[in-house]
Amino acid sequence: MRVALHSEIKPGSIEGYRASHAVVPDELMAAFDRVGIRSWTIFRSGHRLFHDVICDDWDAAIAALDVDPANARWQEDIGRFVELYRNSDGEEGFSPLELVWDLDAQKRGG
């Protein structure tokens, strides 16, 4: 499955956020493999970040990461730069964004 997320960088933290993502810790990459996250791409527009995640099961992956020590260490570190996550309505929340249109799905007739 594919989900999209939206987060925002704290003012003045763009370079720190970039530097932290130059090389994500191997232990976090291994955790992603264990929980079924196959791909995670982040795009930036100003202080806004858009995450494109491909995984086996989003809810299961997040539940597993919530108790994973590697993820806890990463969240503590990266939290210095991230202001908040927003949901589909633009309110604070860590839920996938609403899918509005998908070219591939339309081509398949779905």
Side-chain angles (χ1 to χ4, degrees), residues 43-87:
F43 299 91
R44 184 181 69 83
S45 176
H47 68 284
R48 294 176 181 89
L49 300 169
F50 299 92
H51 309 249
D52 177 29
V53 183
I54 298 172
C55 58
D56 298 337
D57 180 320
W58 173 252
D59 292 332
I62 291 307
L65 286 175
D66 279 346
V67 296
D68 188 285
N71 185 57
R73 284 187 286 278
W74 174 253
Q75 294 306 321
E76 184 176 325
D77 181 52
I78 203 65
R80 300 177 291 156
F81 309 115
V82 178
E83 182 76 31
L84 54 83
Y85 275 81
R86 295 195 181 272
N87 63 22

Side-chain angles (χ1 to χ4, degrees), residues 30-49:
F32 284 174
D33 285 343
R34 281 192 306 277
V35 303
I37 293 176
R38 306 293 169 221
S39 175
W40 193 312
T41 305
I42 304 171
F43 299 91
R44 184 181 69 83
S45 176
H47 68 284
R48 294 176 181 89
L49 300 169

Side-chain angles (χ1 to χ4, degrees), residues 2 4-5 9 26 35 49 60 96:
R2 170 177 254 151
L5 305 168
I9 300 174
D26 288 340
V35 303
L49 300 169

